[in-house]
Amino acid sequence: MSILQNYSEKSQSFLNPLCKLFKKLQLKRCIARAGFKKKRGPSVNDMIIGAISSGFIAENLHVASNSSAGNLLPACESSMYRFMEGTNGNWEQLSLNIAHESYKNIDTLNSNREKSRYCFVFDDSVLEYPKAKKMELCTWTFDHNEGCSVRGYSCLQMGWTDGESYLPLGAKLLASDEDSESFKKTHKQKACPEAIRKTGLDKRTHASQIRTEAQERSKPDLVISWIKQAMKNGFKASYVLFDSWFNYESLLKNITPLGLKVIGMLKQDHRKYYLLNNRGHATEYRTLQSIAEKMKVNSSKRKAKKINNAILFSVTVVAATANENVSEGIKLKLVFVRNRNNPDEFVVISSTDLTLTDEQIVKYYSRRWKIEVNFENQKQYLGLGSESISVKFDNLAAFANLSCVRASLLEFKRRIESDVRAIGALGKCISEQIREMPIAQSILILLASIKALPEILAKKKIITGDQVKAVRREISSLIRNWFSGLTCYVTEFISRWKKDLKDFIPAKTL
């Protein structure tokens, strides 16, 4: 039974946009490359389309199956859940494949300059299950927002962004090490002592791999392997964006050989950095707070005009541990930015790309906020952490990646429909006209304001009535000098609007 053949007139308007997206992003090909197989019953394509569509029908699969739109799903609720927890397909690979198809279409809309600014983004968020008793690999996970440990998982996600669009490439559920001594000191018992353990899995299968990643591999190791996998699948990026949790010297040194630059926030802790003098030699070994105090003293002596008042100053340092030589460290450019919530405090953003200006580093780092918005949208609207309460880890991991698939579909639809460049040559012509018209109108408004300046000054009695003509002549002279000093391109552009500008600039000049 196919979901494409069993829709009513009322549901037709709902399904048509999704069907167009599935065809545009070659969903069948993505499913086949992810290794999904099914011997009997509805096809794999119909089951996955039904799982994706259920999130737009209702808040979860259970509500969608029991709603009036339940006939849109290719199978009953229990069959859908059994399919989601099956081990025959790789949901992480499916999420990556769909994101890559979206990426290829978005990439065609960007210029070469925009392509050189692509970024990978990493972050994690806590998925809480307070009533869990038998959930597989459910552990005590520290929630920084709550300031305490909760039952659940740490959901690590990787994303790609060009500054306008954000595509989640997948999700990994990670568990805490409840057998460690540090854990036993803070918790009397495990989060789910009766949790079901799935054993006897073939280590070559995806089910075994996701359990190994959840229990044994650290987040920095997963970040490196994930970047390699994304680049192998065809994603391109120039920068990797981190928050302060991931931004450590060891991880930066492993990412740099991959040809990527790292921009991230630094923790203001006990870590020290080597300050460099004018000749590039390491002179002092200081903490961030100590560096800030020294630079504030030096900046107070200089009277340099700042372009951005939020940026305090920047400095080049070498990040190396006390056991390493300076030559073994990695050079960073640190940008100290005033904390808008507390002007007396600051945040520090580091970059391994020393050629970027302070403003560019802050601008690129601001793109990291897109993954925070993505987590919020997935949790509120796309079912992340709330769509399934199964005790089986395969089911929970599948639904976590399913929310990433939905986010990629929605972002692709939004970008294609909102970006005028998506309609080809006509869009390019329209975008040029849109870009030129506001500039021309701005010039007209500016010159009109300047022309009215003498009358305004006379009205406010700043100048006398006899001086109005003299001021007007002086303004006309300044405009002529300004116009004659423009580049050929700008002169040609303004010449297109000479009919509108003839009242402001003499005809001989134009």
Side-chain angles (χ1 to χ4, degrees), residues 103 106 118-120 159-162 165-167 169 235-236:
Y103 159 81
I106 293 174
Y118 290 168
C119 303
F120 289 136
W160 172 91
T161 179
D162 62 347
S165 295
Y166 175 84
L167 299 174
L169 307 190
F235 283 91
K236 294 182 180 180

Side-chain angles (χ1 to χ4, degrees), residues 140-319:
W140 290 111
T141 304
F142 188 77
D143 189 344
H144 293 276
N145 295 328
E146 299 293 334
C148 61
S149 296
V150 297
R151 287 187 180 91
Y153 305 89
S154 176
C155 180
L156 177 65
Q157 288 197 9
M158 176 184 182
W160 172 91
T161 179
D162 62 347
E164 182 175 350
S165 295
Y166 175 84
L167 299 174
L169 307 190
K172 296 180 184 292
L173 299 185
L174 308 180
S176 303
D177 185 7
E178 293 186 331
D179 295 326
S180 63
E181 294 182 1
S182 59
F183 172 83
K184 293 179 180 179
K185 292 179 181 179
T186 55
H187 299 86
K188 296 181 180 180
Q189 64 178 7
K190 296 182 178 180
C192 295
E194 301 177 4
I196 298 174
R197 299 282 180 177
K198 197 168 186 178
T199 59
L201 293 172
D202 188 341
K203 293 184 178 181
R204 296 171 295 179
T205 61
H206 176 63
S208 176
Q209 292 173 2
I210 60 175
R211 285 168 172 79
T212 302
E213 290 177 347
Q215 293 178 290
E216 301 176 8
R217 299 189 64 182
S218 63
K219 290 181 183 178
D221 291 339
L222 292 176
V223 167
I224 297 298
S225 62
W226 215 342
I227 292 176
K228 292 179 179 179
Q229 183 184 5
M231 297 176 70
K232 184 179 179 180
N233 278 264
F235 283 91
K236 294 182 180 180
S238 300
Y239 299 94
V240 182
L241 308 180
F242 288 139
D243 62 1
S244 58
W245 196 96
F246 294 90
N247 203 12
Y248 285 87
E249 295 82 1
S250 58
L251 184 55
L252 301 185
K253 291 178 181 178
N254 291 329
I255 293 178
T256 303
L258 301 178
L260 300 172
K261 305 295 184 181
V262 181
I263 299 176
M265 186 177 291
L266 290 176
K267 285 185 178 179
Q268 298 181 35
D269 51 15
H270 61 278
R271 285 183 292 173
K272 294 183 179 181
Y273 303 87
Y274 287 98
L275 275 174
L276 301 181
N277 57 19
N278 295 333
R279 297 182 180 180
H281 300 305
T283 55
E284 300 176 76
Y285 198 46
R286 291 173 172 259
T287 62
L288 292 176
Q289 190 66 37
S290 178
I291 293 174
E293 293 174 358
K294 179 180 179 180
M295 295 303 296
K296 285 180 180 179
V297 173
N298 294 339
S299 61
S300 62
K301 296 178 181 179
R302 297 190 299 265
K303 296 182 179 180
K305 188 176 181 181
K306 295 181 180 180
I307 299 176
N308 191 333
N309 292 327
I311 298 176
L312 301 174
F313 49 82
S314 63
V315 62
T316 303
V317 301
V318 174

Side-chain angles (χ1 to χ4, degrees), residues 431-482:
S431 63
E432 290 178 354
Q433 293 297 321
I434 291 175
R435 187 166 57 249
E436 288 181 357
M437 289 299 293
I439 295 175
Q441 293 174 359
S442 300
I443 293 176
L444 291 174
I445 294 172
L446 176 62
L447 293 177
S449 301
I450 295 174
K451 185 180 179 182
L453 184 60
E455 285 74 13
I456 295 174
L457 295 175
K459 187 176 181 180
K460 293 185 177 181
K461 297 182 180 181
I462 297 176
I463 61 175
T464 62
D466 298 335
Q467 296 173 326
V468 172
K469 292 183 179 180
V471 173
R472 189 180 292 119
R473 285 195 302 269
E474 187 64 26
I475 290 176
S476 299
S477 176
L478 292 173
I479 292 176
R480 285 194 297 270
N481 294 335
W482 162 75

